[in-house]
């Protein structure tokens, strides 16, 4: 086969050029994204029921829905958090389940229980988690100059009616989610004095509105051969129509404006958005799942530039831009790929002392990469951080394959074979060990896809990318490379430049290797001691190194979530948030804030209450993040001690896939006592016990709120001849919650509200009056009583029912002691159940799973090697090398201050697959020398080591250099791969020494002839 290819160089070249052309076309079709498009097995249910307390909502709505949802198949966990007026249910499905089918099931369960829910509540919203729901960026609109409430209402309407629709017309845009809008309402404020004078009640005003806002529809009238649509309308069009309504009072005609003030005002705000201290309308732009993010970025930029020119009075500002993160990360990966390849090129030039060989690598590697990207397209992969990092890992192994083929052909030429025979024999000799090396490496990577959950799906791309790269590289190395080697060296003439290159280095590697091998055989006990030492280091470091889910990443952005834990309105929340943001020096950071309830449709997080805020901070230099954090902490501790807050990273696709919102340890405590007041006292006492026992580790997770209950006596209402429904309506009017009707103006709906201008609870109770059926007026404070009480701000529940969560930030080695202390605390409380969850348990499960995958990988390695070597003992030599390499890799990781996380553990698996390739080739060469050339054991070990010395050094150094840039570059892509690079580099360094010296020693012990006299002195003499 090789001879056939060598004799047809033009056909081979044209074939590969055609494939490369297809590859170039495929590159233009590959989608580009931050991470692979993975299915996230999560479903959220949002429940809204205004004017209901958290306890009422939990008992009448949430509990019913939660019980129904427990019947959904493949449900792993369910958690609900209920607050006044709203609840959020988060469902986590088993990974691999059909999320679309689960979405249908959830909707069916909710439809089934709708008849059991209050009739005045809206149907709960069901949201299916999707990686494409994360906004690509947020576009914030604010006015250039000082703005009035009327101007901002106009901006809100303009943003929704014009800007949002124009952006949604872009083909890469799926939808635009909007928040921060303010809405108009027509507010009718009766004059109680005039109403009393004219004997007019609130019911009279309500009846006046309802009778006059009527749409009779159309009538069809025929006139001969013609037909006309006649429209009758008495509906309201504007505020003046309502002001000028007429009604008859005892024979006197009055207008509504005579007894009430009617005006168009801004609806009471439940929430707002801010950008750099100014109130804004925020548009979250979400891309189509199959759209190229670069296309979307270009079209958005062009449109926003057009907005700047067309609407100069409006300020357009972008925040939370994911496209920059993607560009930065992928550029860093490309830079590391180019830099690593360049360094590897120099290493080959230094070792081979030949100008032609490195250029052969320069042909084979780009060809392998382009063809690999063609297979990316065929396999449905995208260009993302994970798949590109797989190519970066694979480039070192691609270079290895090329080096081995080139070096082997060169060795046959040095033994006197002609160029054609050297190319044929040199390539044929390494096909089998190269195939074995590729299979063993793939056997290490492919089990990564069996990691449970999203992480396994994510690294499917990496495993597939490495496997594609290796098989393509093998194909190029054994087909294209020999052909071009023959063409490059066909008319070889050594000139002055070649002589200079040959004299560039006089270092004799074989002499150094022979000297080192002699010392190893002379000091066998020391060699085995070092082996056991590294084995012990591997076990010790695996146990003692801190364990995390992911490596620490440099942050230029952060989000502060604040709950002021106070009965404040939106305006006070805004004032406090502005005061907090004002602590930052001007120009140091971009800031935006979401205050109170938000209007997003795709809101997978729990909605904010009126006393909560989300503050987004973006800085140019990551070192400014910690000082700003400390500034915020001190301000909040100094001025708002009752406030609870925490910092988190902005939500992006990476965070969504890997986000670990769980505390290290979560104690879930269920109180079986049904008395709510007693439970509240127990929760307070228990929270104080946790604070006293764990002063540094405990996060206050339960907050309380003061509420006021208004009670009325039905008997008193009957004595005063006050109808209960009329009384309730008048109460609604007093609290500005009496909506009479809705005016429909184009696409807008403007509510008509009958209300009062009393601002404080004291004024509402003591200054409002209620009229009975006989027209007699009574003060409201005569009819109602106030009762202050305290309740939980939020109610948490799961599969086990309601529970109180207590979060503790502890380390892995503290778990046993902390669990014991918690059980001791709960010993003095009756009717209490305890269970635990948290990231510590999931991290341990992940480590155990990766350990199992490592064992499976080693077994696959053994089976493949046993098949290649046709021996059940020789594969043990390669497997004995793995623990030493792991020990060396963990030692380097510990020196660099790293920890065991998903990436470093994958690095161990990757390193194990890479480093054994050198040993496989060495053992294969020794076996071939003994079998085909009849060499003795010692001679075969020595000659085989010398023949494989240069390829081993070149492959190890090129692989190390290909990963070295990760240690010095910044950005998400580089930082994510840094622990992996440290582990692989450390393991490769130790593994190279092991392949050169320890593997020959193990081979000697497993293959020595027991009948021969192989005393140590004789061995030394032969060496």
């Amino acid at each position: 086969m090789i001879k056939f290819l060598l004799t047809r160089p033009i056909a081979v070249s044209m074939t590969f050029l055609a494939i490369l052309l297809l590859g170039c076309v495929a590159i233009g079709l590959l989608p580009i994204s931050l991470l692979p498009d993975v299915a996230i097995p999560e479903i959220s249910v949002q429940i809204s029921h205004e004017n209901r307390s958290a306890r009422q909502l939990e008992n009448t709505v949430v509990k019913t829905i939660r019980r129904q949802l427990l019947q959904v198949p493949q449900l792993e966990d369910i958690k609900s958090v209920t607050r006044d007026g709203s609840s959020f249910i988060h469902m986590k499905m088993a990974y691999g389940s059909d999320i679309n089918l689960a979405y249908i099931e959830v909707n069916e369960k909710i439809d089934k229980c709708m008849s059991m829910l209050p009739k005045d509540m809206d149907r709960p919203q069901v949201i299916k988690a999707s990686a494409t729901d994360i906004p690509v960026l947020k576009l914030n609109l604010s006015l250039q100059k000082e703005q009035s409430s009327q101007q901002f209402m106009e901006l809100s309407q303009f943003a929704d009616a014009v800007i949002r629709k124009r952006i949604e017309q872009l083909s890469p845009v799926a939808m635009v989610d909007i928040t921060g809008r303010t809405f108009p309402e027509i507010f009718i404020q009766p004059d109680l004095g005039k109403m009393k004078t004219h004997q007019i009640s609130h019911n009279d005003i309500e009846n006046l509105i309802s009778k006059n806002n009527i749409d009779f529809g159309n009538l069809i009238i025929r006139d001969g051969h013609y037909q006309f649509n006649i429209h009758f309308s008495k509906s309201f069009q504007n505020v003046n129509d309502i002001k000028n309504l007429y009604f008859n009072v005892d024979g006197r005609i009055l207008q509504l404006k005579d007894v009430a003030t009617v005006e168009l005002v801004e609806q009471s705000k439940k929430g707002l958005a801010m950008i750099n201290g100014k109130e804004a309308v925020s548009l979250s732009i979400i891309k189509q799942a199959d759209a190229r993010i670069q296309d979307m970025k270009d079209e958005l930029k062009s449109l926003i530039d057009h907005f700047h020119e067309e609407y100069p009075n409006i300020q357009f500002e972008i925040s939370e831009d994911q496209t920059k993160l993607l560009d930065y990360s992928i550029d860093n990966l490309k830079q590391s790929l180019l830099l690593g390849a360049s360094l590897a090129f120099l290493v080959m030039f230094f070792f081979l002392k030949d100008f032609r060989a490195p250029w052969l690598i320069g042909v084979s590697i780009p060809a392998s990469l382009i063809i690999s990207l063609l297979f990316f397209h065929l396999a449905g992969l995208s260009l993302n951080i994970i798949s590109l990092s797989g190519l970066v890992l694979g480039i070192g192994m691609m270079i290895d394959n090329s080096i081995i083929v080139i070096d082997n052909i060169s060795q046959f030429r040095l033994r006197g074979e002609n160029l054609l025979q050297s190319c044929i024999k040199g390539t044929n000799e390494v096909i089998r060990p190269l195939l074995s090396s590729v299979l063993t490496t793939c056997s290490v990577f492919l089990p990564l896809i069996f990691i449970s959950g999203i992480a396994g799906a994510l690294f499917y791309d990496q495993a597939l990318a490495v496997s594609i790269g290796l098989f393509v590289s093998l194909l190029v190395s054994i087909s294209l490379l020999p052909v071009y080697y023959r063409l490059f060296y066909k008319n070889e003439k050594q000139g002055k430049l070649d002589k200079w290159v040959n004299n560039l280095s006089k270092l004799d590697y074989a002499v150094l290797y022979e000297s080192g091998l002699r010392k190893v055989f002379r000091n066998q006990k020391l060699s085995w001691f070092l082996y056991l030492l590294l084995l012990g280091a591997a076990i010790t470091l695996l146990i003692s190194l801190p364990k995390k889910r992911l490596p620490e990443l440099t942050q230029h952005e952060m989000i502060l979530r604040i709950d002021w834990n106070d009965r404040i309105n939106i305006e006070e929340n805004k004032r406090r948030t502005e005061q907090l943001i004002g602590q930052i020096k001007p120009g140091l950071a971009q800031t935006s804030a979401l205050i109170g309830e938000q209007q997003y449709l795709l809101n997978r997080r729990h909605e904010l209450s009126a006393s909560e805020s989300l503050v987004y901070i973006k800085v140019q230099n990551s070192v400014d993040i910690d000082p700003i954090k400390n500034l915020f902490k001190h301000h909040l501790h100094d001025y708002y001690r009752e406030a609870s807050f925490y910092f988190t990273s902005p939500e992006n696709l990476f965070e969504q896939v890997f986000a670990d919102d769980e505390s290290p340890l979560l104690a879930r405590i269920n109180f079986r006592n049904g008395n709510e007041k007693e439970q509240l006292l127990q929760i307070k006492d228990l929270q104080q016990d946790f604070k006293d026992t764990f002063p540094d580790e405990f996060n206050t997770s339960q907050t309380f709120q003061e509420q006021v209950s208004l009670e009325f006596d039905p008997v008193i209402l009957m004595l005063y001849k006050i109808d209960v429904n009329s009384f309730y309506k008048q109460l609604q009017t007093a609290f500005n919650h009496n909506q009479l009707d809705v005016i429909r103006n184009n696409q807008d709906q403007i509510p008509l509200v009958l209300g009062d201008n009393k601002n404080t609870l004291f004024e509402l109770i003591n200054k409002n009056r209620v009229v009975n059926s006989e027209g007699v007026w009574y003060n409201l404070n005569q009819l109602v009583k106030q009762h202050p009480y305290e309740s939980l701000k939020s109610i948490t529940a799961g599969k086990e029912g309601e529970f109180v969560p207590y979060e503790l930030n502890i380390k892995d080695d503290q778990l046993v002691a902390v669990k014991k202390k918690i059980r001791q605390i709960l010993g003095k409380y009756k009717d209490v159940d305890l269970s635990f969850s948290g990231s510590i348990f999931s991290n341990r499960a992940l480590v155990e799973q990766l350990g199992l995958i490592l064992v499976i990988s080693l077994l696959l390695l053994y089976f493949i090697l046993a098949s290649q070597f046709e021996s059940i003992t020789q594969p043990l030599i390669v497997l004995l090398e793995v623990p030493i390499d792991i020990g060396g890799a963990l030692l380097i990781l510990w020196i660099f201050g790293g920890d065991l996380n998903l990436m470093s553990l994958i690095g161990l698996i990757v390193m194990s697959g890479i480093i054994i390739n050198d040993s496989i080739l060495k053992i294969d060469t020794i076996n071939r020398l003994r079998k085909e050339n009849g060499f003795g054991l010692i001679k075969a070990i020595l000659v085989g080591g010398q023949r494989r010395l240069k390829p081993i050094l070149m492959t190890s150094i090129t692989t190390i250099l290909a990963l070295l840039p990760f240690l010095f570059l910044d950005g998400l892509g580089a930082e994510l791969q840094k622990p992996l690079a440290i582990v692989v580099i450390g393991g490769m360094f130790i593994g190279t020494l092991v392949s050169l010296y320890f593997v020959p020693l193990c081979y000697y012990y497993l293959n020595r002839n027991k009948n021969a006299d192989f005393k140590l002195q004789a061995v030394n003499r032969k060496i």
Side-chain angles (χ1 to χ4, degrees), residues 323-350:
T323 62
K324 290 184 178 179
L325 176 66
L326 176 66
D327 292 342
Y328 193 50
S329 302
I330 291 183
D331 285 346
N332 278 334
L333 285 170
K334 290 178 179 177
Q335 185 179 352
S336 65
L337 188 68
L338 181 61
L339 185 58
S342 301
L343 292 172
F345 187 90
L346 293 176
V347 169
M348 287 181 288
F349 172 74
F350 179 77

Side-chain angles (χ1 to χ4, degrees), residues 151-190:
Q151 288 174 322
F152 192 77
M153 275 196 296
E154 293 174 358
L155 175 66
S156 298
Q157 186 178 10
F158 176 77
D160 185 49
V162 178
I163 301 298
R164 180 176 64 84
K165 289 183 178 179
R166 290 185 66 175
I167 294 175
E168 286 182 339
Q169 289 172 359
L170 301 178
S171 56
V173 175
M175 70 168 290
V176 177
D177 217 351
I178 188 169
T179 192
R181 283 195 64 188
T182 58
F183 300 92
E185 72 177 11
I186 297 176
F187 188 71
I188 305 172
Q189 181 186 336

Side-chain angles (χ1 to χ4, degrees), residues 674-722:
N675 189 306
E676 189 173 351
K677 290 184 178 180
E678 290 184 9
Q679 278 188 15
L680 203 63
L681 293 174
Q682 283 186 318
I683 291 171
K684 285 186 174 182
D685 294 339
L686 188 58
Q687 186 156 288
Q688 188 60 48
D689 289 340
F690 268 78
K691 285 182 180 179
D692 296 338
T693 309
F694 309 104
D696 298 324
E697 297 88 357
F698 178 63
N699 290 333
T700 302
S701 51
Q702 286 302 307
T703 54
F704 306 89
Q705 61 182 358
E706 295 180 0
Q707 294 185 322
V708 176
S709 173
L710 295 180
E711 296 181 2
F712 65 89
D713 191 340
V715 176
I716 293 177
L717 295 183
M718 293 177 66
L719 288 175
Y720 290 156
K721 299 181 181 180
I722 299 174

Side-chain angles (χ1 to χ4, degrees), residues 612-623:
E612 291 179 296
S613 297
L614 277 180
V615 180
Y616 165 80
I617 306 292
K618 180 181 179 181
V619 297
Q620 294 295 327
N621 196 334
S622 61
V623 298

